[in-house]
Amino acid sequence: MTRRLFANRVVLITGASTGIGRATALAFARHGAKVAIGDVDERANETIELIEKTGGEAVFFKTDLTNGKEVKSLVEQTVKKFGGLHHAFNHATSILNIPTKFADIEEVEFNKVMEVNIKSIFLTVKHELQYMVANGGGTIVNTASLTGLMADPFIAPYVTANHAVIGLTKAAAFDYAQDGIRVNAIEPVLTEVSLTQLDVKKSFFPMPRAVKPEEIADMVIFLSSDAASFCNGTVYAVNRTNFPLTN
């Protein structure tokens, strides 16, 4: 039987229409959390239906996460609907630039990748922090990419944005640790829903397969739980997870 680690708690998840975001929303719901989803993708309604079928509580607010007013409203609507905000998983950061050599990158393409992959994270973290500071703390987990620790050829904007997510995560963690808020990041590698198509058996990762969205969700659950009470301002590359916490 699943331990209800987040009973009477509220989590806000962005980018939960499919894949890792959906798997994480379902995992939080299984652990008793009330789930609010912010996304532009209407498929988030399917995630809501899956949660409700298992007896969970969830709501979807269609939100442009690159718009500060809409993100502020997302947090406010979440609090109004469920009475609080204790945890956040900011996952809507998946746009990859058109493969282009650095000097040939168009400014408009660079700006587009920055808008979705770092500005959206900045805005969600900013407004989540404002509520958590005033209401006793909380946890935030951001999604970056393995390219936040390394680089791949021809995707400089994407690499830059993910390095920025890591820096933002660490900066926020230092600024708000004394307020009872922990901010960490995950870096999923070679997920089953990844845009990267590689032969994982020949890659440098220790596990000879792609990671499942549910395994990424396990890490988010761990980092959001009291079991990770001393994890703060850190980046976790998820290439193998098997946490008994969710069993």
Side-chain angles (χ1 to χ4, degrees):
M1 182 177 178
T2 299
R3 295 167 57 193
R4 294 175 69 82
L5 299 171
F6 301 102
N8 302 314
R9 311 286 280 181
V10 179
V11 60
L12 171 59
I13 301 177
T14 64
S17 58
T18 60
I20 293 169
R22 175 177 288 181
T24 304
L26 292 171
F28 268 106
R30 284 196 301 272
H31 282 287
K34 299 174 183 178
V35 180
I37 295 173
D39 207 325
V40 293
D41 191 335
E42 296 282 357
R43 287 178 294 177
N45 283 310
E46 298 172 12
T47 306
I48 300 299
E49 292 175 6
L50 290 170
I51 291 172
E52 291 178 340
K53 283 180 180 179
T54 61
E57 294 183 66
V59 63
F60 167 46
F61 299 113
K62 189 171 183 177
T63 307
D64 176 359
L65 297 168
T66 67
N67 183 303
K69 290 183 179 179
E70 291 196 26
V71 174
K72 184 175 185 289
S73 177
L74 171 63
V75 173
E76 291 173 345
Q77 289 181 92
T78 298
V79 172
K80 183 178 180 180
K81 172 67 176 180
F82 290 134
L85 175 61
H86 307 96
H87 310 283
F89 176 43
N90 302 315
H91 179 62
T93 58
S94 61
I95 187 169
L96 190 68
N97 63 276
I98 300 169
T100 311
K101 225 171 179 179
F102 194 105
D104 298 323
I105 296 165
E106 296 291 340
E107 182 178 354
V108 65
E109 181 70 11
F110 182 87
N111 289 341
K112 179 181 177 183
V113 175
M114 294 301 114
E115 280 271 314
V116 176
N117 287 359
I118 182 60
K119 183 181 178 182
S120 65
I121 292 287
F122 163 72
L123 290 172
T124 49
V125 171
K126 169 185 169 68
H127 291 291
E128 290 156 0
L129 283 172
Q130 287 178 347
Y131 178 83
M132 291 177 180
V133 167
N135 292 275
T139 70
I140 297 173
V141 179
N142 299 320
T143 295
S145 156
L146 188 62
T147 59
L149 293 175
M150 53 174 281
D152 279 335
F154 309 126
I155 54 171
Y158 186 72
V159 170
T160 302
N162 281 295
H163 274 70
V165 170
I166 292 174
L168 181 153
T169 296
K170 292 181 177 182
F174 270 96
D175 284 356
Y176 293 96
Q178 299 304 315
D179 295 290
I181 300 170
R182 295 187 293 105
V183 188
N184 292 288
I186 60 167
E187 293 194 322
V189 294
L190 293 175
T191 65
E192 289 182 343
V193 294
S194 174
L195 294 176
T196 306
Q197 301 297 322
L198 295 176
D199 183 351
V200 295
K201 292 183 180 180
K202 297 179 181 178
S203 76
F204 56 84
F205 300 111
M207 297 296 283
R209 63 171 176 82
V211 65
K212 298 177 181 179
E214 292 77 14
E215 293 174 305
I216 304 297
D218 285 347
M219 178 61 92
V220 180
I221 291 293
F222 168 69
L223 290 172
S224 304
S225 75
D226 291 341
S229 58
F230 203 68
C231 297
N232 198 18
T234 308
V235 184
Y236 296 84
V238 187
N239 56 9
R240 51 181 173 179
T241 59
N242 186 23
F243 294 104
L245 201 60
T246 58
N247 293 336

